[in-house]
Amino acid sequence: MGVTEPPGPVMDRDEVDRALARLGAEHKAVEDSLLALQDHAGRRLLEGAELTGTTKERWAATERTISLLWTYFDAYTAAVHEAREVRARRRWPGREELSELTERLRGESVTVSGTSTLAERFTLERLVARMNELYASSLDMVVTADAVWSALPARIDLLAAELGRTRSLAHSVGVRPGEHPAGDDLEAITHELAALRAQVVTDPLAFWRPATGSSAPGGGRPDTDRYDRAARALEDVRREIEAVLQVRQDSEARLLRLRDVLSRADRTLAEARAARGEVLAKIAASEVPAVSGPPTALQERLATAAEYRRHAQWHRLSPLLEALEQEAEEELLRAREQLTAVTAPLAVRAELRGRLDAYKAKVARHGMAEDPLLIERYDQARRMLWSAPCDLRAAEQAVLRYQQAAMDMVSGAGPVDRRGNQ
């Protein structure tokens, strides 16, 4: 839509003809715009829809605005037609015709009745500006509703189809409302999508986010926050269902691995208990920690997991397997730690024996193996280390004495008497 020239003095013939030519083109543009609005898909949808909320209120106002637009356009059309008739009276209009044409083209020559007031008077310029305003607001409402309807319902329908597939998959693995949290989530998503679609269809303007600072019709975008939340929730459920499906596929192998881990933990604990008895019998004055019993609670839960698998209760098997796998590894680690703690005195004794023999070999390489003192101290340490029960503290002191005597001999410090004096 365009505008005419501002008011001025009496127009000459050329100015009148140019103004009428512009009005003709302008009239065509206004008419095309109104017809396009009339045929707009969004307007037809609004006319046929059962609207609620904000959209219902705005569409009622927009319908009145569109009706007023046509009233203004009819008055505008009549004014342009009358101006053309005046111009057609003479090929060379006189002063009187030019004054009349100036008034018609630039003055408040258009009277519009049937509006909210008794009558309104406009210049052609103001009338076009007023139609521009009403047209922009009407088009904004129509374009906005159409944009929401074009974007959201189709996306909701696609998500609903995906929801249906996920529900079927969930049902196949026993994930149902009231029996599994994911089943409850699917039920909630189903209700949310149904409510969301109903609201989008009846009140699309409630799902529009205008662009900041934009005055163009339809400036903004559909508000997809609720849709996005539902889509994310469905994706979370879908991943959980896929995890349950994966459990169905590899549950047998996972159960076998669990049995193996628990068996190793049991054997390790049995080894620790046997080692504890050996330590108590062979090592004197040593505190040996107690060894826990076999992981019977885990074995019972493993039997429950096997039962879930036999009855295809995959939704219950999935979390149980995850918990069991972690706890079984922790149990094996604890068993190994207990074995290490129990056998620590035996390890100390083995280290002392190794050290004693290493120094004996070192002394032999230096030709001092027959030294009486070294032989005596070696025999003393060896008796302590190979006797049962072994006093580790006394044995360690005996090894240190032999080690010191051997080092003194090898370094040439001289003979050592029985009291350790040179």
Side-chain angles (χ1 to χ4, degrees):
M1 293 185 177
V3 295
T4 60
E5 294 178 351
V10 175
M11 303 165 68
D12 59 28
R13 188 190 66 166
D14 291 339
E15 289 176 324
V16 168
D17 289 343
R18 287 195 298 271
L20 286 172
R22 284 195 301 271
L23 285 172
E26 188 175 65
H27 180 274
K28 181 66 168 61
V30 171
E31 184 178 32
D32 289 346
S33 297
L34 290 177
L35 290 174
L37 178 60
Q38 195 72 12
D39 292 335
H40 197 287
R43 190 198 65 80
R44 292 198 299 271
L45 288 172
L46 285 164
E47 280 188 338
E50 294 183 6
L51 303 175
T52 59
T54 302
T55 307
K56 182 178 181 179
E57 295 175 3
R58 280 196 58 186
W59 176 237
T62 300
E63 281 190 306
R64 293 192 295 269
T65 298
I66 293 175
S67 176
L68 182 59
L69 262 172
W70 282 105
T71 300
Y72 283 159
F73 179 71
D74 290 342
Y76 178 73
T77 301
V80 173
H81 179 70
E82 292 169 1
R84 283 174 173 167
E85 285 184 339
V86 174
R87 175 64 184 89
R89 290 174 191 169
R90 295 182 183 181
R91 182 178 179 184
W92 302 97
R95 178 74 180 179
E96 183 178 347
E97 285 85 1
L98 290 175
S99 296
E100 182 179 354
L101 286 168
T102 299
E103 175 60 25
R104 286 182 178 277
L105 296 175
R106 291 183 174 174
E108 292 185 347
S109 59
V110 186
T111 301
V112 181
S113 303
T115 62
S116 57
T117 59
L118 295 177
E120 294 179 282
R121 294 185 62 82
F122 295 94
T123 64
L124 287 173
E125 177 186 6
R126 281 181 51 219
L127 182 56
V128 170
R130 178 64 176 151
M131 286 192 292
N132 278 335
E133 294 171 4
L134 297 180
Y135 174 80
S137 65
S138 301
L139 183 63
D140 178 74
M141 197 274 166
V142 170
V143 169
T144 295
D146 188 52
V148 173
W149 278 334
S150 298
L152 273 175
R155 295 173 69 181
I156 293 171
D157 290 342
L158 288 174
L159 190 61
E162 177 64 24
L163 173 64
R165 289 190 291 271
T166 304
R167 284 169 65 94
S168 298
L169 203 59
H171 191 273
S172 71
V173 293
V175 175
R176 298 179 178 87
E179 298 179 11
H180 191 279
D184 297 334
D185 292 341
L186 284 175
E187 195 73 7
I189 296 169
T190 301
H191 292 316
E192 169 63 5
L193 285 184
L196 177 60
R197 196 183 195 288
Q199 291 173 21
V200 167
V201 169
T202 60
D203 191 11
L205 296 190
F207 296 88
W208 184 254
R209 187 171 294 175
T212 305
S214 174
S215 59
R221 63 178 180 84
D223 184 352
T224 62
D225 284 353
R226 283 179 61 184
Y227 167 85
D228 293 337
R229 284 195 297 271
R232 287 193 297 269
L234 181 57
E235 177 62 20
D236 291 341
V237 172
R238 188 185 62 79
R239 282 198 295 265
E240 189 166 348
I241 300 302
E242 287 179 350
V244 174
L245 280 171
Q246 189 64 38
V247 168
R248 183 170 68 179
Q249 294 172 4
D250 61 12
S251 58
E252 183 176 4
R254 290 174 70 182
L255 284 170
L256 287 174
R257 285 196 297 271
L258 269 172
R259 292 190 182 99
D260 178 64
V261 171
L262 290 179
S263 177
R264 282 188 283 154
D266 198 7
R267 290 195 302 270
T268 303
L269 288 174
E271 185 181 349
R273 285 190 291 272
R276 185 173 188 273
E278 181 183 357
V279 169
L280 291 174
K282 295 182 177 180
I283 305 298
S286 177
E287 294 182 1
V288 185
V291 179
S292 61
T296 54
L298 288 179
Q299 294 287 1
E300 291 173 359
R301 293 173 65 198
L302 182 59
T304 301
E307 193 70 15
Y308 285 161
R309 183 178 182 277
R310 277 193 296 274
H311 291 88
Q313 294 178 311
W314 311 112
H315 62 292
R316 292 179 177 166
L317 178 59
S318 177
L320 181 56
L321 275 180
E322 290 181 5
L324 281 173
E325 285 168 341
Q326 180 178 352
E327 292 172 25
E329 291 294 339
E330 292 172 352
E331 182 65 29
L332 179 58
L333 179 61
R334 280 195 295 270
R336 288 170 175 169
E337 290 173 345
Q338 289 186 65
L339 178 60
T340 300
V342 164
T343 57
L346 295 177
V348 172
R349 187 184 66 174
E351 189 274 331
L352 291 173
R353 285 176 174 181
R355 197 194 316 171
L356 180 65
D357 289 342
Y359 274 95
K360 181 182 179 183
K362 186 174 183 179
V363 167
R365 286 197 301 271
H366 287 79
M368 302 176 183
E370 302 302 323
D371 183 84
L373 183 60
L374 290 178
I375 292 174
E376 179 184 350
R377 291 194 175 181
Y378 173 82
D379 290 341
Q380 183 183 25
R382 193 177 190 286
R383 280 194 304 272
M384 290 184 180
L385 288 171
W386 267 265
S387 64
C390 171
D391 187 336
L392 283 180
R393 294 186 180 87
E396 183 179 13
Q397 293 300 317
V399 171
L400 287 174
R401 285 195 297 273
Y402 174 75
Q403 178 182 336
Q404 185 62 51
M407 290 175 61
D408 290 343
M409 284 287 189
V410 170
S411 63
V416 181
D417 60 22
R418 295 180 182 274
R419 297 182 181 82
N421 298 319
Q422 287 185 323

